[in-house]
């Protein structure tokens, strides 16, 4: 029989003891867990970026994987811990919209986590990752059924960060969801929603620059030149071959991107 | 039967081959080991920070876990490699005081590691992590009894970095032990030692600022405002809600913190 | 029976979903794999640095380990994916010279990977790590014989980045292969090739400084002083005890190093 897989996506970074302490808690409950970091370098409190990164990785794992997602600006307030089941996987997260991209693409069931007997006592005011989310994820990986943790809810928080807003017949305002290691800007324009980008002229304004070229792969572009490409995730990416588009444009995560299609 | 767990805490960073080479050595000796990184981002040579981060994480792991701790400014000198048994866990480290927070809180036995047959030969002058500490930790995880590695010693190095120094009837000088991902300053003032902070007026001077407010959780404070909170580890933390206290105060790890209690 | 070990060395960083997505793919094919990161912090597109870091770590792992190495400026072009068997280990990488240090030190067999049935379909234009390299490495770890993936080739790319060029009777031009966490400059001068450095006067010019002292270990040098040492890998390293030689010299990876032996 395979070992249960448990992934972690957080904004905790790797320079603290936070991730190590959570893994200790998890292995104490579910010693056979296979732990996999998706990333811990989400920008602090950046819920859309965490939602995007999770969405790019989770479905590559085998079904029954448990995904622990903690970006939690509301720790210590009344925001609820939740668990969601979708696509044969299970997700544990604060109820702050971080799972929105999963909700909008897959049938899902969401539960409020209320069964305190699964928590680490005493629950600290500042580290629910260790005291609530990690043990719940570990018990789920261990095989405890989702229904044991709390009741189904309908009023969980949804956010719409992964769709540009239409602002006119030919105009949209989107945003940068993520900047990758290579300085590529990943936008929230998905080719499935904007198929006309492959056949019609367009202008995408980012910072002081306008991009109007869509290529098939990075190497098609001369080194240092800006263009757009359909990334491995289906989202339009702005890149500069063998250079950092982020540095060339001076844009950060969350910056607006105005699209005009002619 | 559960797999042996082996954690790693170092100042090696993740950009080098150091951690990978050590893990290769460990898996060659103990192939069934479950390897968990606590952190490799300890500031180079910062023994108090490593001691603090280890102290926050180790007790969350199941008993019998082996913890490998390498911050080793004295590599190549005559400082001894040691192993310590405390609280049902085993620790392998250079004898430079990095385990002091464990010594001061738990009954413990310390041995000097002298049994060279467990070392990787030839032992390099610059990388005892790979050649001495990693193989010893792996043999311990594999089940080799501690006594095989060397004799009990009493003169191991202890440091007192986790206690502020009293400088007057109402005055103490403490220090910043660690700055976390969110820019929170973790101090060496522990609420168990300073319970009066919850009931009496106080002023804590950090950089050019004075903090005199203790709140129960981050969200109780307006965004950008400075305050103190009792962190998940029991130590006082200086934070600014949704902002970096470290940037606001311009303080680094090791900076002094003057406390006055009225 | 031991679990198959699979290491990863990339320039993907840890802030993206890339590594997590690859691990998901691998565990879907080979659930019992023991995954070990060597590093993901190779400088973007830096093939010599990746080759060096891999070379320092791979042989520390047990035989039969599969090493996945992805630094791939040519993704989307016609550069081939390859697999190499050497020293009882298996390597999966793009054919861009990143395995050169293994070719030059060990008998080896190289195959072009052409069996598309092992790829994730559809293969994206920009993320062969996930769609080609990860599944091939996972099937190899699972026990699929190398011959199933493609034919032996002789015309794989070799690069000579790990040997200085002789420019005169007593003169060589080498380079910085890597800068480690501590600011030590790892050069491509190996003591096996330059044994006379231990017995004869020499000058090694790096940036505006000249180093002419070879010591046995870091601690032999006063804090802040520049010297050379034979690193744990056999390569000459320029270091400053408890300080960053990289900062003192202002040199980066790839910078030239002129050696004169008297």
């Amino acid at each position: 029989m395979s070992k249960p897989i448990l992934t972690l996506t957080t904004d905790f970074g790797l320079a603290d003891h936070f991730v190590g302490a959570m893994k200790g808690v998890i292995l104490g409950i579910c010693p056979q867990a296979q732990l996999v970091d998706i990333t811990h370098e989400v920008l602090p409190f950046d819920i859309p970026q965490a939602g995007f990164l999770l969405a790019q990785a989770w479905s590559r794992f085998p079904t029954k994987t448990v995904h622990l997602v903690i970006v939690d600006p509301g720790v210590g307030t009344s925001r609820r811990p939740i668990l969601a089941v979708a696509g044969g996987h299970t997700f544990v997260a604060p109820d702050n919209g971080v799972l929105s991209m999963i909700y909008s693409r897959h049938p899902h069931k969401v539960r409020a986590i209320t069964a305190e007997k699964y928590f680490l006592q005493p629950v600290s005011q500042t580290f629910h990752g260790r005291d609530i989310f990690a043990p719940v994820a570990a018990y789920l990986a261990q095989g405890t059924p989702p229904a044991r943790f709390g009741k189904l809810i309908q009023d969980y928080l949804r956010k719409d960060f992964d769709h540009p807003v239409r602002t006119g017949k030919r105009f949209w305002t989107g945003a940068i969801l993520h900047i990758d290691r290579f300085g590529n800007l990943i936008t929230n324009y998905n080719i499935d929603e904007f198929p006309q980008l492959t056949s019609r002229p367009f202008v995408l304004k980012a910072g002081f620059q306008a991009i109007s070229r869509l290529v098939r792969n990075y190497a098609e572009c001369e080194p240092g030149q800006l263009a757009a490409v359909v990334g491995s995730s289906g989202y339009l990416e702005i890149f500069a071959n063998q250079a950092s588009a982020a540095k060339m444009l001076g844009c950060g995560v969350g910056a607006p991107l105005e699209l005009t299609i002619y």
Side-chain angles (χ1 to χ4, degrees), chain A:
Chain A
M1 209 191 89
S2 289
K3 295 184 304 177
I5 302 171
L6 199 159
T7 80
L8 299 98
T9 305
T10 78
D11 62 353
F12 291 164
L14 293 171
D16 294 292
H17 63 280
F18 303 138
V19 174
M22 290 201 303
K23 290 182 176 175
V25 169
I26 292 166
L27 292 172
I29 293 165
C30 182
Q32 74 278 29
Q34 168 95 315
L35 299 170
V36 182
D37 299 310
I38 292 182
T39 183
H40 298 289
E41 303 290 347
V42 172
L43 294 172
F45 315 122
D46 197 314
I47 292 169
Q49 191 189 33
F52 169 79
L53 291 169
L54 174 70
Q56 301 324 301
W58 73 267
S59 64
R60 305 295 170 175
F61 286 82
T63 52
K64 297 194 180 168
T65 297
V66 175
H67 303 278
L68 182 50
V69 190
I70 311 176
V71 174
D72 195 13
V75 66
T77 68
S78 59
R79 69 94 192 85
R80 298 174 293 191
I82 55 169
L83 72 87
V85 176
H89 294 235
T90 306
F91 302 84
V92 178
D95 184 24
N96 58 21
V98 72
L99 303 180
S100 296
M101 287 177 72
I102 291 156
Y103 301 153
S104 65
R105 284 168 179 72
H106 299 271
H108 56 279
K109 290 191 172 174
V110 180
R111 291 174 187 275
I113 299 170
T114 52
E116 296 185 8
K117 68 174 171 179
Y118 296 109
F119 302 173
L120 221 65
Q121 298 296 348
V123 171
S124 77
Q125 290 285 332
T126 55
F127 194 3
H128 289 186
R130 181 192 64 196
D131 299 337
I132 296 178
F133 296 109
V136 166
Y139 283 111
L140 283 163
Q142 187 71 299
T144 307
R148 296 273 180 85
F149 297 92
K151 292 191 177 159
L152 288 172
I153 57 172
Q154 301 300 331
D155 62 340
Y156 47 88
L157 197 63
R158 284 162 173 268
K159 290 195 173 173
D160 202 30
F161 51 75
D162 63 321
H163 298 285
V165 176
R166 190 160 197 166
T167 54
K169 195 184 171 196
R170 305 181 314 183
F171 305 110
W172 289 263
T173 297
I176 298 173
L177 281 177
H178 176 61
I179 295 177
D180 77 11
R181 161 85 161 172
F182 305 98
N184 302 326
L185 310 176
I186 290 86
T187 77
N188 63 353
Y189 291 93
N190 196 296
I191 196 67
D192 293 340
E193 255 183 280
F194 294 87
Q196 64 271 47
L197 287 172
T198 58
S199 56
R200 304 247 306 265
F202 70 89
V203 171
L204 186 63
K205 282 192 190 160
F208 296 110
Q209 303 262 2
I211 289 97
S212 55
R213 191 175 164 207
L214 182 66
V215 298
R216 278 184 316 141
N217 63 60
Y218 299 141
E220 219 176 285
C221 202
E222 290 77 57
Q225 211 180 356
L226 283 166
V229 69
V230 178
S232 58
S233 54
Y235 289 94
L236 220 63
E237 297 180 19
I238 302 170
F239 77 100
N241 190 17
Q242 301 191 28
S244 167
K247 277 190 191 158
M248 290 173 69
L249 293 171
C251 287
V253 170
L257 294 171
E258 307 290 341
L259 174 69
T260 309
I261 301 184
Y262 293 97

